Amino acid sequence: MSATLSILIYHRVLARPDPLFPGEVDAALFERQLRLLKRFYAPLPLTVAVQRLQDGSLPARAACITFDDGYADNAQVALPLLQRHGLHATFFIATGYLDGGQMWNDTVIEAVRQAPAPVLDLRELGLDCLPVADLAQQQAAIATLLGQLKYQPFARRQQLAMLIHRQAGATAGAPAMLSTAQLRQLQAAGMELGAHTLSHPILSTLPDHAARLDIANGKHQLESLIQAHVTLFAYPNGKAGRDYGASHVAMVHSLGFKAAVATDWGVARPGAGLDLLQLPRFTPWDRGRLAFLWRLRQNRRQAHPARPDAG
């Protein structure tokens, strides 16, 4: 099989498992996955991998580790583990949530977690009356609400999340997102920082001028905070043709980004089909060692997804 680049997506690395975040890895699992990547793959920084894709020197089974959004545990939990194993990651930051912000999905999750009643009655918001008496019901309620809100217009989605939080009587917890000091800690440790917009909208739900402004503001704010050029970008949500389209790829190019990552499965390969502004990524959710490696192998065999042509 020819040289391939597998780009892994993470969001959080929890200090310990959280039943309401079943899709997030914890520290012990993350460390096991790092060991497997070191043993069976050739981990590279993303900028190095991009260069080697272009010059034809990509090693067999190359891999990159990436994180989206900018959670505080990226610095608190993930960074020490990466350093212990001598590995590199790229962190894509939605700058509008630094220093105490909270993303809409986390607002909803905390509302369900803290809801005191056996039901969370959201009918006056035009939503459902959801049972939340036990863990299974809470997980189902979260899945329902995230699905209902995800593709709402950006402002409406933010508003609904806050109203759900208020209806549940939830209170603010410890900041979930990075502080500026933690962001600079990642940079000082040699990790790469990329842009992920200012406010993490689904770009396809915005008028083009608003989408471009959010991408540009995220880039400029991050560059101001770290005093360095930012050349890497991650599309929020990141499904080609659904969450972003050709116009957004063109925006990313015009704003000076050298490479951008999506969330469609597959691997990048050197050659004619390579699109550096739509690099595929995937999330390795398997807990077991063999299943994790099998998933990586299957992803390497994935047919390259159809991409919107930036023209």
Side-chain angles (χ1 to χ4, degrees):
M1 186 178 287
S2 62
T4 58
L5 174 62
S6 302
I7 308 176
L8 282 65
I9 312 169
Y10 293 93
H11 290 83
R12 307 192 64 175
V13 177
L14 306 175
R16 62 195 61 82
D18 182 339
L20 288 187
F21 288 92
E24 300 294 353
V25 301
D26 59 80
L29 177 59
F30 185 59
E31 186 162 26
R32 288 199 300 273
Q33 293 181 348
L34 294 182
R35 289 195 182 104
L36 291 169
L37 286 172
K38 284 173 65 177
R39 182 175 177 185
F40 294 100
Y41 283 77
L44 296 171
L46 184 54
T47 50
V48 173
V50 166
Q51 181 58 47
R52 296 184 71 170
L53 274 168
Q54 293 175 282
D55 65 23
S57 67
L58 191 74
R61 295 193 304 277
C64 296
I65 300 166
T66 67
F67 283 83
D68 282 5
D69 301 340
Y71 284 94
D73 54 42
N74 294 180
Q76 296 163 341
V77 183
L79 178 60
L81 295 174
L82 290 163
Q83 291 175 311
R84 181 183 302 171
H85 292 277
L87 292 174
H88 185 280
T90 301
F91 296 83
F92 291 103
I93 309 299
T95 52
Y97 300 98
L98 295 169
D99 297 310
Q102 187 173 57
M103 299 187 73
W104 72 273
N105 50 299
D106 293 318
T107 300
V108 170
I109 289 166
E110 288 309 309
V112 174
R113 187 196 304 276
Q114 297 183 43
V119 296
L120 179 56
D121 190 347
L122 303 174
R123 287 173 292 186
E124 66 182 56
L125 304 180
L127 300 169
D128 299 323
C129 185
L130 299 166
V132 291
D134 57 32
L135 177 60
Q137 290 181 349
Q138 289 177 330
Q139 290 174 334
I142 288 169
T144 295
L145 290 171
L146 296 186
Q148 289 175 337
L149 269 62
K150 191 169 198 172
Y151 287 97
Q152 293 274 357
F154 179 78
R156 178 61 176 161
R157 186 177 71 180
Q158 303 298 109
Q159 178 191 42
L160 279 172
M162 291 306 301
L163 290 171
I164 292 167
H165 195 265
R166 185 182 307 163
Q167 187 74 12
T171 58
M177 310 307 286
L178 289 164
S179 65
T180 297
Q182 289 169 325
L183 179 74
R184 292 174 176 152
Q185 180 188 359
L186 292 172
Q187 182 190 27
M191 300 294 144
E192 207 156 45
L193 299 173
H196 196 36
T197 71
L198 177 72
S199 58
H200 201 279
I202 293 178
L203 296 171
S204 62
T205 67
L206 298 180
D208 275 357
H209 71 276
R212 181 185 171 86
L213 187 62
D214 210 290
I215 297 168
N217 285 345
K219 182 180 194 288
H220 298 153
Q221 186 173 38
L222 184 58
E223 289 176 333
S224 177
L225 290 170
I226 66 174
Q227 291 296 293
H229 289 299
V230 172
T231 62
L232 300 174
F233 179 74
Y235 299 96
N237 222 57
K239 296 295 183 189
R242 181 175 185 182
D243 303 322
Y244 74 93
S247 63
H248 307 110
V249 179
M251 292 171 199
V252 167
H253 180 263
S254 70
L255 289 167
F257 290 103
K258 304 303 183 188
V261 293
T263 61
D264 293 293
W265 281 51
V267 291
R269 293 181 172 87
L274 176 63
D275 185 350
L276 293 178
L277 294 180
Q278 297 186 84
L279 294 170
R281 292 189 297 168
F282 86 113
T283 300
W285 66 80
D286 300 278
R287 265 39 187 174
R289 172 183 176 276
L290 292 179
F292 175 77
L293 291 172
W294 179 85
R295 186 78 57 190
L296 280 163
R297 183 172 179 268
Q298 290 300 107
N299 183 65
R300 294 196 344 256
R301 297 184 170 200
Q302 188 88 354
H304 198 286
R307 301 289 186 178
D309 183 1

